[in-house]
Amino acid sequence: KQHFPNDLIVSEEGFGDRVNKKDFEQKTVWFLDPIDGTLNFVLQNENYAVMLAVYEKGIGKQAYIYDVTHNRLYWAIKGNGVYCNDQPLPKMKDLPLEEGLFASNSMFLSDQQVSFNTEITKRAMGVRTIGAGLESIELVKGNTLAYVSYGLKPWDIAPGLILVRENGGVVTNFDGSPVNILDTSPTIMATPTAQREITNLL
């Protein structure tokens, strides 16, 4: 607020501005999640991250996810690739579900989602779950092929969306439409092939 008084902030921990579509399309908006993976932080003291993204007139320009436990900063500036600290990451391979791991959040275990998740896990080689920020990083690194969440908040998705797209992945709603990052969104982050498979299953 001191250095960029005209910019807006969307943040999880009770501080920030009310940002509507017009604001988002005309101003610079910072999305901040001070601790992504709060229960991991409290109960495990690992697998949590600090996340920040900067959008200018609706376009994702910068993204940062800091893996605190391992002292690794994953970051991207639009058009310049994705880095871990000072090392560039290779582009993601466009692989199908059957050739890698699938990740989801805790809603994966809910009764309402069992039939859908069963179909996905039949195709994937296995299932992982950590948290939105670090799961998007696992996807960017090629350690997983898809991350599905049933309700990401703006600060959960804004940084990962930039990083995943910058490295060759796609981010959509369950029906394949673009994600509205100002709202809670059911989200697929994946390789293009895995995204099409998951959307078809839905």
Side-chain angles (χ1 to χ4, degrees), residues 70-126:
H70 300 102
N71 193 28
R72 294 173 184 159
L73 177 64
Y74 297 89
W75 59 278
I77 296 174
K78 184 175 174 59
N80 290 286
V82 178
Y83 289 76
C84 176
N85 294 333
D86 60 352
Q87 297 298 313
L89 296 181
K91 288 285 187 180
M92 298 161 51
K93 295 179 180 179
D94 186 14
L95 299 175
L97 280 171
E98 65 183 17
E99 295 188 32
L101 298 170
F102 164 73
S104 187
N105 64 1
S106 57
M107 285 295 291
F108 176 85
L109 300 173
S110 74
D111 292 340
Q112 294 177 342
Q113 309 298 340
V114 166
S115 60
F116 163 56
N117 291 320
T118 299
E119 291 304 313
I120 294 179
T121 54
K122 282 179 182 178
R123 301 190 185 201
M125 295 178 70

Side-chain angles (χ1 to χ4, degrees), residues 37-181:
T38 307
L39 285 177
N40 294 347
F41 171 71
V42 173
L43 300 176
Q44 298 177 332
N45 199 28
E46 61 180 352
N47 297 325
Y48 61 96
V50 179
M51 304 206 299
L52 176 68
V54 181
Y55 283 67
E56 298 175 13
K57 296 182 178 180
I59 305 298
K61 296 291 189 176
Q62 302 177 52
Y64 306 89
I65 297 179
Y66 179 49
D67 179 349
V68 178
T69 307
H70 300 102
N71 193 28
R72 294 173 184 159
L73 177 64
Y74 297 89
W75 59 278
I77 296 174
K78 184 175 174 59
N80 290 286
V82 178
Y83 289 76
C84 176
N85 294 333
D86 60 352
Q87 297 298 313
L89 296 181
K91 288 285 187 180
M92 298 161 51
K93 295 179 180 179
D94 186 14
L95 299 175
L97 280 171
E98 65 183 17
E99 295 188 32
L101 298 170
F102 164 73
S104 187
N105 64 1
S106 57
M107 285 295 291
F108 176 85
L109 300 173
S110 74
D111 292 340
Q112 294 177 342
Q113 309 298 340
V114 166
S115 60
F116 163 56
N117 291 320
T118 299
E119 291 304 313
I120 294 179
T121 54
K122 282 179 182 178
R123 301 190 185 201
M125 295 178 70
V127 181
R128 299 294 183 269
T129 180
I130 303 175
L134 294 182
E135 289 295 5
S136 62
I137 292 303
E138 292 299 295
L139 174 61
V140 166
K141 293 192 297 183
N143 291 346
T144 60
L145 300 181
Y147 172 62
V148 172
S149 178
Y150 301 97
L152 292 180
K153 299 292 186 181
W155 45 82
D156 292 322
I157 192 174
L161 185 149
I162 296 172
L163 290 162
V164 169
R165 286 181 175 170
E166 185 69 21
N167 220 34
V170 294
V171 182
T172 70
N173 282 316
F174 281 7
D175 62 4
S177 63
V179 170
N180 176 8
I181 66 169

Side-chain angles (χ1 to χ4, degrees), residues 1 8-11 13-19:
K1 287 297 187 182
L8 300 173
I9 298 171
V10 177
S11 179
E13 309 298 344
F15 174 80
D17 301 297
R18 291 183 179 273
V19 177

